[in-house]
Amino acid sequence: MSLVGVIEDILNPADIALNGSRPWDPKIKDERFFKRVLCEGSLGLGESYMDGWWDCEKLDEFFYRLIPLNPEEVVKNNLKLKLHTFKAIIFNLASKPRAFTIGEKHYNLGNELFKKMLDRRMTYSCAYWKNTTNLDEAQEAKLDLICRKIHLKQGDRVLDIGCGWGSFVGYASEKYGVKVTGITVSREQVELARKLYSGLPVEIRLQDYRDLNEKFDHIVSIGMFEHVCYKNYRKFMEIVHSCLKDDGLFLLHTIGNSYSNVTVDPWFGKYIFPNSMIPSMRQISESVEKLFVIEDWHNFGYYYDNTLMSWFNNFDSNWDYLKELYDERFYRMWKYYLLSSAGAFRARNLHVWQIVFSKNGIKGGYEPIR
């Protein structure tokens, strides 16, 4: 069978046609595409898109249809993909010496990029769209949901591990009268967050979670656990446990995987989130054994589709401004990142979990908040 025929056999069950007329049908512009994708899998698919070898009117719809078919099984014996997994097993890709890599490679891409893409508070995690009509409302609804889930009250001292540009730090301080310490591994995030919330009782630090050694009433981690990696999950949970007061609550907000893995998708690992991976339920639950009681597990990953599409629309509509700072290949890379992710969440291939933990169990039980 020809290379084209192999690709067609992969795409046909997803109702995707090469060079078809529908918005989700890919248009092939370079015949080298076929060999590259079959030899390199998802990495070749993403890089060939960045190189302009193929295009698609609606990438999100293309991936929404393709992902449930698990097309990587076709190239699962590829040597490069095996080496990618082997590397993650042998090495600790999120070890302390590597802790600041994700900040340098992703979060330090430039505050202007994220200002133009995100909501007004610059919240870089899935929004909560229940009873909301726009991104700003949905992100504030998510921040308030977190505050209510951990039973915040005035005067509490709270830690935010992976605080980003300080959206939760600022919101919780403004709305609930709490003192918040936020830590991040991105220098640009620290600089901007300190400016944004200089008048509030908050502290923003450039710090790795492994250097924490103090007590807090409550702890949250919102969209950071994806950078911890499975070899460090237990250590992360032990540190949270040691920093949390005995009657406090810990809320973990993370993207979740339906199955246990040890690597991130090769294209995402190379271009978007180096040294990262998506945890499974088993990996999380095993990491908290004899440390925490799981009080609540809330999945609202279907809302990430809306969030990512809003981010892409903001990014795309502001490209005339941003193209003075980034080139066309970056545009194609970022578009591929946002829209392929939207397709994955639309297909329910990935999830968003908010998990509430206590150290000793809530007497009388924990009432889930939605």
Side-chain angles (χ1 to χ4, degrees):
M1 181 182 291
S2 68
L3 298 181
V4 176
V6 173
I7 297 293
E8 287 177 335
D9 281 353
I10 296 172
L11 298 180
N12 285 341
D15 191 28
I16 298 172
L18 291 173
N19 299 313
S21 60
R22 296 162 303 181
W24 59 84
D25 291 330
K27 308 297 190 294
I28 311 305
K29 300 181 177 182
D30 191 311
E31 292 299 311
R32 292 175 293 175
F33 163 86
F34 301 102
K35 183 177 180 180
R36 189 171 185 180
V37 170
L38 289 176
C39 288
E40 300 179 10
S42 64
L43 180 62
L45 184 66
E47 288 186 334
S48 61
Y49 181 82
M50 291 166 61
D51 291 339
W53 290 13
W54 65 283
D55 230 319
C56 184
E57 184 180 342
K58 289 192 175 295
L59 275 176
D60 53 307
E61 284 293 302
F62 169 78
F63 281 101
Y64 165 65
R65 286 165 168 76
L66 180 65
I67 285 173
L69 299 180
N70 201 21
E72 61 269 21
E73 285 298 307
V74 176
V75 292
K76 65 181 179 181
N77 292 321
N78 179 271
L79 179 59
K80 288 184 179 179
L81 300 183
K82 284 185 174 180
L83 288 174
H84 179 68
T85 302
F86 181 73
K87 179 181 176 182
I89 293 173
I90 297 299
F91 301 105
N92 185 349
L93 298 182
S95 62
K96 192 172 180 180
R98 299 171 183 259
F100 291 82
T101 301
I102 187 63
E104 295 164 2
K105 299 293 186 181
H106 187 88
Y107 298 107
N108 288 352
L109 281 170
N111 287 333
E112 286 303 309
L113 168 65
F114 295 103
K115 283 179 182 178
K116 296 297 183 183
M117 184 179 86
L118 304 176
D119 64 299
R120 69 181 184 88
R121 287 186 178 270
M122 297 180 69
T123 314
Y124 198 21
S125 55
C126 180
Y128 192 62
W129 291 83
K130 183 179 180 180
N131 300 325
T132 64
T133 59
N134 59 63
L135 183 62
D136 285 339
E137 290 179 359
Q139 289 291 17
E140 290 218 346
K142 187 267 298 296
L143 298 174
D144 197 67
L145 181 70
I146 293 171
C147 292
R148 290 184 288 121
K149 282 184 175 183
I150 61 174
H151 301 163
L152 274 195
K153 62 183 184 299
Q154 188 169 358
D156 281 345
R157 186 168 183 239
V158 186
L159 171 66
D160 182 357
I161 303 176
C163 66
W165 293 274
S167 61
F168 174 82
V169 169
Y171 184 88
S173 180
E174 290 171 8
K175 305 295 184 180
Y176 284 81
V178 297
K179 299 175 182 178
V180 190
T181 296
I183 68 169
T184 174
V185 294
S186 166
R187 296 180 188 279
E188 291 209 17
Q189 287 183 334
V190 169
E191 182 181 348
L192 182 56
R194 285 174 176 171
K195 290 180 181 178
L196 291 173
Y197 302 109
S198 60
L200 294 173
V202 303
E203 180 185 14
I204 309 294
R205 303 176 190 164
L206 184 70
Q207 184 177 21
D208 180 60
Y209 69 89
R210 281 160 285 217
D211 293 325
L212 289 165
N213 184 26
E214 53 202 293
K215 290 289 185 180
F216 296 88
D217 296 297
H218 302 291
I219 299 175
V220 302
S221 184
I222 309 165
M224 174 272 180
F225 197 65
E226 299 88 335
H227 306 312
V228 173
C229 289
Y230 78 106
K231 288 192 174 186
N232 306 303
Y233 288 167
R234 183 67 178 184
K235 181 67 173 178
F236 178 91
M237 293 300 181
E238 288 173 345
I239 289 170
V240 172
H241 185 272
S242 70
C243 291
L244 183 66
K245 291 183 178 179
D246 287 345
D247 60 348
L249 292 174
F250 166 48
L251 184 141
L252 178 69
H253 174 118
T254 181
I255 296 173
N257 210 335
S258 295
Y259 57 91
S260 296
N261 205 343
V262 298
T263 64
V264 72
D265 172 88
W267 184 85
F268 272 78
K270 182 175 180 178
Y271 291 99
I272 307 298
F273 296 117
N275 305 331
S276 300
M277 62 163 282
I278 307 301
S280 69
M281 297 181 78
R282 187 183 75 185
Q283 288 168 330
I284 293 174
S285 61
E286 286 180 349
S287 73
V288 300
E289 286 187 5
K290 297 184 179 180
L291 290 176
F292 289 110
V293 174
I294 297 176
E295 299 285 357
D296 186 40
W297 199 306
H298 183 189
N299 185 348
F300 57 86
Y302 47 89
Y303 284 148
Y304 223 151
D305 181 11
N306 296 16
T307 306
L308 285 155
M309 293 305 297
S310 295
W311 289 349
F312 172 71
N313 291 333
N314 289 343
F315 169 71
D316 191 54
S317 64
N318 284 293
W319 180 245
D320 281 344
Y321 170 83
L322 292 170
K323 68 183 180 183
E324 300 298 321
L325 306 172
Y326 306 93
D327 61 18
E328 187 65 24
R329 196 165 192 265
F330 179 89
Y331 173 83
R332 294 182 67 85
M333 178 188 77
W334 210 251
K335 178 179 181 179
Y336 189 90
Y337 151 49
L338 294 173
L339 294 184
S340 64
S341 298
F345 283 98
R346 192 176 307 164
R348 302 308 306 279
N349 178 257
L350 294 173
H351 314 284
V352 172
W353 297 324
Q354 280 192 356
I355 313 166
V356 178
F357 303 90
S358 68
K359 293 177 77 168
N360 302 301
I362 301 297
K363 301 303 182 282
Y366 178 89
E367 187 68 30
I369 296 171
R370 301 290 186 267

